[in-house]
Amino acid sequence: VTDGQVHLLQSRPVTVAGRKEFCRNERGGKYVLFKPLVENFTDPLTPLAANLLLQMPAAGVFVLIGGRVYFDLDKVRLLVPFKLTDPQLAQLLYLSGEGLPAELRIAPARLPVTVVVGLAVSLAMSNVYARSAHLPHDFMDGFRRRAESVDRDQGFGVLETWRELFIGSSLIGTLSAPLGDQPMVVNASAIRYFVWLALLKKILRRYLPDLPPDSLGLLTSGSEGVLSAETGRRIWSLAVAAKRIDAVRRLLVEHPLESVLPALRATPEASDFVRQFDDFLAVFGHRAFKEFELKSPRWEEDPAPVLGMVRNYLLVETDPAAHERTVAARRAELRRTIEAGLAHRPLERALGLRTRLVRYVADRVKYFATLRENSRFYWVMAAHIVRKKILRLEAELIARGRLKCRDDIFYLAWDEIEKLRADTLGWLDVEDRIAERRREYVRLSKVTPPRTIGIAPAGPAVTAETDDAGGTVLRGQSASSGRCEGIARVILDPAQDIELKPGEVLVAPYTDPAWTPLFLMAGAAVVEVGSFLSHAGTVAREFGLPCVVDVPECSSRIRTGDRLLVDGDAGLVRILK
């Protein structure tokens, strides 16, 4: 608006914005990308989200570069008692064993620090470890009531809510409070599944070296009560309900997603479906795509993505439950194979010690994997409560003229927000910095963050090669075994693009639990960032879906329509045509 005249300006993507270098690294530091975060979304964090996230315990070993969280290699090295080169330590921090020496040598100078820190952490966490070793799947259900109570309590501001639901008020409080009130602590304690998984691999190699490649995935999947997997099943049941009512099916197929819910609420025949949909949102409405980012709208606020997935299921004739039954049958057959393979000695036939050992260790892996997935479900709920507090604060600042546009608050640091509330800063003081940070956010969103900064690349130099038939082969890591040939469907943002046909190969830059419903329809999954124990791998194994992760640049090298052969056993993806 200029001199009372309104001008309408064209808005378009700035296509050259991503050509600048990621960062200058003027201090010459050495940094490794924090993989557990980037596995869930590759976009940069907004300033406010990063500001709050880096208040977490142990945040001193992290640094924010280009909106992404990186390990500070020099600080982490002080805690690692082994002699490793920079590239080897980077591989270890990036959750990859490639490039590590077969035998690790102790670094005596750093051993005392490691022992002291290790003992301190062990003593602090031993109470939590003991209490979280054997818990029912629903032990955190009461956290919803606690989160809602904090939401209603006006005495809890944004920062107080963050500390109350994420960090805890004190170490003594953490050790004495019920674990059901501490999803972040439970999530941290579930990291033990690394140890149990390594033990299971060693046992299988020792006693059953001839098992098929998918054995590890089958043994560590099939858990009861995995909430992220239940999300997909509940959306499928919504589609089944919609198919039974012509008016509901017609509205979902023909109406724009943004306006279909009001139309459904105004249609008497749709009342049962609407009630079922509201029940779904009451349980899963705190979830979102890119749910680590506080700026991301939750399904409770914008249910269009969920309705889009329901519509997607309506347009196909398939039954995910049938596939799950097939996988369950394979799992049962594997158990019989293991029992037969171990029972060749009389003592084993009589006592079944090795069989019970395999079963126990596999159950421990499944337990801690489920604990990790489900605790995340609840601390995302905590993030939802923090977001609601932020939005109320933003509405207050807009009403007072301190802010002008929705979502501007996410581009400010917390101390700047406090100064706006205290009237020591005004709109004119923050207007330019918000605009600049929004532009920088767009630029950084177009840049793929490097795995390492200031050291040799942590990944292999060659990630693609040509096979004998002239096709392109992309290398990654196996997250779920099996082989599948199918047409590629590249999905960069499921909030905008959720069209996936049964049997197509889902190709994505990352996945988080909100992507789970897509796994029910896919024939296989190929993911740019991930690991065996990432969300993509965990859910793929639950559904018996071949999955290859950590495939660099797969979402740009592969195009929708390409025919792929996904080899989940070898961790390879072949572009056939």
Side-chain angles (χ1 to χ4, degrees):
V1 180
T2 306
D3 297 329
Q5 182 72 28
V6 178
H7 302 269
L8 180 64
L9 306 181
Q10 179 189 11
S11 176
R12 65 179 178 82
V14 183
T15 55
V16 298
R19 295 180 185 173
K20 299 178 184 178
E21 60 182 329
F22 182 71
C23 72
R24 294 181 179 178
N25 194 20
E26 294 173 347
R27 297 182 181 179
K30 300 172 183 178
Y31 309 103
V32 182
L33 191 63
F34 183 51
K35 192 176 184 181
L37 187 60
V38 80
E39 278 177 350
N40 293 279
F41 73 110
T42 53
D43 287 358
L45 290 166
T46 56
L48 179 56
N51 200 215
L52 293 175
L53 184 66
L54 292 180
Q55 294 185 38
M56 301 295 287
V61 298
F62 297 115
V63 63
L64 190 72
I65 302 175
R68 277 79 171 197
V69 178
Y70 280 78
F71 282 111
D72 187 325
L73 199 73
D74 291 334
K75 291 181 180 178
V76 175
R77 186 179 290 282
L78 297 173
L79 305 175
V80 178
F82 302 112
K83 293 182 178 180
L84 297 172
T85 65
D86 288 344
Q88 287 171 342
L89 182 55
Q91 288 278 28
L92 184 65
L93 293 175
Y94 199 70
L95 307 180
S96 172
E98 298 175 8
L100 294 179
E103 295 184 4
L104 296 174
R105 293 184 299 158
I106 296 293
R110 293 196 297 272
L111 191 58
V113 175
T114 305
V115 171
V116 170
V117 172
L119 285 174
V121 172
S122 297
L123 287 172
M125 291 295 291
S126 58
N127 173 288
V128 173
Y129 277 15
R131 289 191 292 154
S132 61
H134 300 279
L135 292 166
H137 291 311
D138 60 353
F139 81 98
M140 297 197 76
D141 284 359
F143 183 79
R144 186 184 300 273
R145 292 190 296 274
R146 180 165 179 261
E148 290 172 348
S149 173
V150 171
D151 183 32
R152 291 190 299 268
D153 190 337
Q154 295 183 5
F156 284 97
V158 173
L159 209 54
E160 294 80 9
T161 299
W162 178 267
R163 289 170 178 163
E164 179 72 15
L165 297 181
F166 278 91
I167 304 174
S169 55
S170 66
L171 178 60
I172 299 300
T174 297
L175 296 178
S176 60
L179 285 181
D181 289 345
Q182 303 179 82
M184 184 61 76
V185 171
V186 172
N187 191 270
S189 75
I191 201 169
R192 285 173 283 177
Y193 68 87
F194 278 105
V195 178
W196 287 105
L197 183 66
L199 179 59
L200 181 61
K201 288 180 178 178
K202 183 170 286 190
I203 292 171
L204 294 180
R205 280 197 302 267
R206 174 76 181 275
Y207 298 134
L208 297 160
D210 298 325
L211 285 179
D214 63 348
S215 299
L216 186 66
L218 289 171
L219 281 173
T220 56
S221 61
S223 304
E224 294 291 331
V226 180
L227 292 172
S228 53
E230 186 61 24
T231 308
R233 297 187 184 109
R234 288 283 295 272
I235 293 178
W236 176 259
S237 69
L238 284 169
V240 171
K243 282 184 178 181
R244 298 194 191 105
I245 308 168
D246 289 340
V248 174
R249 180 187 177 94
R250 186 172 61 255
L251 286 170
L252 284 167
V253 171
E254 297 176 0
H255 267 60
L257 292 176
E258 294 75 14
S259 61
V260 71
L261 189 56
L264 286 167
R265 294 191 187 282
T267 304
E269 302 98 299
S271 58
D272 288 342
F273 174 84
V274 169
R275 190 180 307 110
Q276 188 173 341
F277 187 78
D278 288 339
D279 290 343
F280 172 87
L281 291 181
V283 178
F284 301 98
H286 63 282
R287 306 230 74 154
F289 297 120
K290 305 176 186 178
E291 59 194 9
F292 271 85
E293 173 53 64
L294 294 173
K295 184 172 73 69
S296 299
R298 309 289 140 165
W299 287 345
E300 178 185 281
E301 304 168 50
D302 178 16
V306 180
L307 292 166
M309 287 183 278
V310 174
R311 174 193 287 178
N312 211 24
Y313 289 159
L314 281 176
L315 299 176
V316 299
E317 293 296 333
T318 186
D319 182 7
H323 181 65
E324 290 193 64
R325 287 193 294 269
T326 301
V327 175
R330 287 168 53 203
R331 197 175 289 119
E333 178 62 29
L334 175 64
R335 285 196 291 267
R336 290 191 290 269
T337 300
I338 290 173
E339 291 173 5
L342 292 174
H344 60 282
R345 296 183 181 183
L347 186 62
E348 175 63 24
R349 285 196 298 272
L351 300 178
L353 295 179
R354 291 180 178 177
T355 301
R356 281 189 277 179
L357 176 64
V358 170
R359 187 181 301 133
Y360 177 77
V361 176
D363 285 345
R364 289 282 82 192
V365 176
K366 289 165 60 175
Y367 170 79
F368 286 116
T370 301
L371 194 66
R372 182 171 181 262
E373 281 289 311
N374 287 359
S375 59
R376 170 174 169 160
F377 178 89
Y378 289 104
W379 64 258
V380 168
M381 186 182 295
H384 173 49
I385 302 301
V386 173
R387 172 176 164 81
K388 290 168 76 171
K389 297 279 187 178
I390 291 171
L391 294 181
R392 289 174 195 145
L393 175 56
E394 181 184 60
E396 173 195 324
L397 292 172
I398 289 175
R400 291 170 51 197
R402 294 293 179 266
L403 290 176
K404 298 293 183 182
C405 299
R406 289 189 60 186
D407 288 352
D408 273 355
I409 195 170
F410 295 103
Y411 296 90
L412 293 171
W414 180 249
D415 64 327
E416 294 171 322
I417 294 170
E418 287 190 315
K419 289 176 181 177
L420 284 174
R421 294 186 73 185
D423 292 335
T424 56
L425 283 180
W427 167 245
L428 294 179
D429 299 307
V430 299
E431 179 182 15
D432 288 344
R433 67 183 76 172
I434 289 172
E436 176 56 32
R437 290 170 189 173
R438 280 184 176 272
R439 284 192 294 269
E440 181 68 357
Y441 184 86
V442 172
R443 182 184 80 80
L444 292 170
S445 297
K446 296 173 179 291
V447 179
T448 300
R451 292 185 178 185
T452 61
I453 296 172
I455 58 178
V462 179
T463 58
E465 56 194 56
T466 303
D467 62 14
D468 295 337
T472 300
V473 179
L474 306 180
R475 294 187 175 275
Q477 296 183 35
S478 172
S480 181
S481 294
R483 290 164 63 91
C484 173
E485 183 174 329
I487 300 299
R489 174 73 63 175
V490 180
I491 296 181
L492 302 179
D493 183 356
Q496 307 296 329
D497 178 16
I498 51 177
E499 182 182 350
L500 183 73
K501 297 177 182 176
E504 288 186 327
V505 177
L506 171 63
V507 180
Y510 68 93
T511 64
D512 63 18
W515 291 65
T516 300
L518 296 175
F519 280 60
L520 283 170
M521 300 196 46
V526 179
V527 185
E528 198 157 309
V529 182
S531 62
F532 183 86
L533 297 169
S534 66
H535 168 77
T538 301
V539 173
R541 291 190 298 276
E542 286 296 318
F543 293 151
L545 190 77
C547 181
V548 180
V549 298
D550 236 11
V551 186
E553 301 177 347
C554 67
S555 57
S556 57
R557 289 178 180 271
I558 298 171
R559 295 171 299 178
T560 294
D562 287 348
R563 177 164 285 278
L564 306 180
L565 176 61
V566 179
D567 187 341
D569 302 333
L572 298 176
V573 181
R574 287 180 169 83
I575 305 176
L576 302 177
K577 188 178 180 182

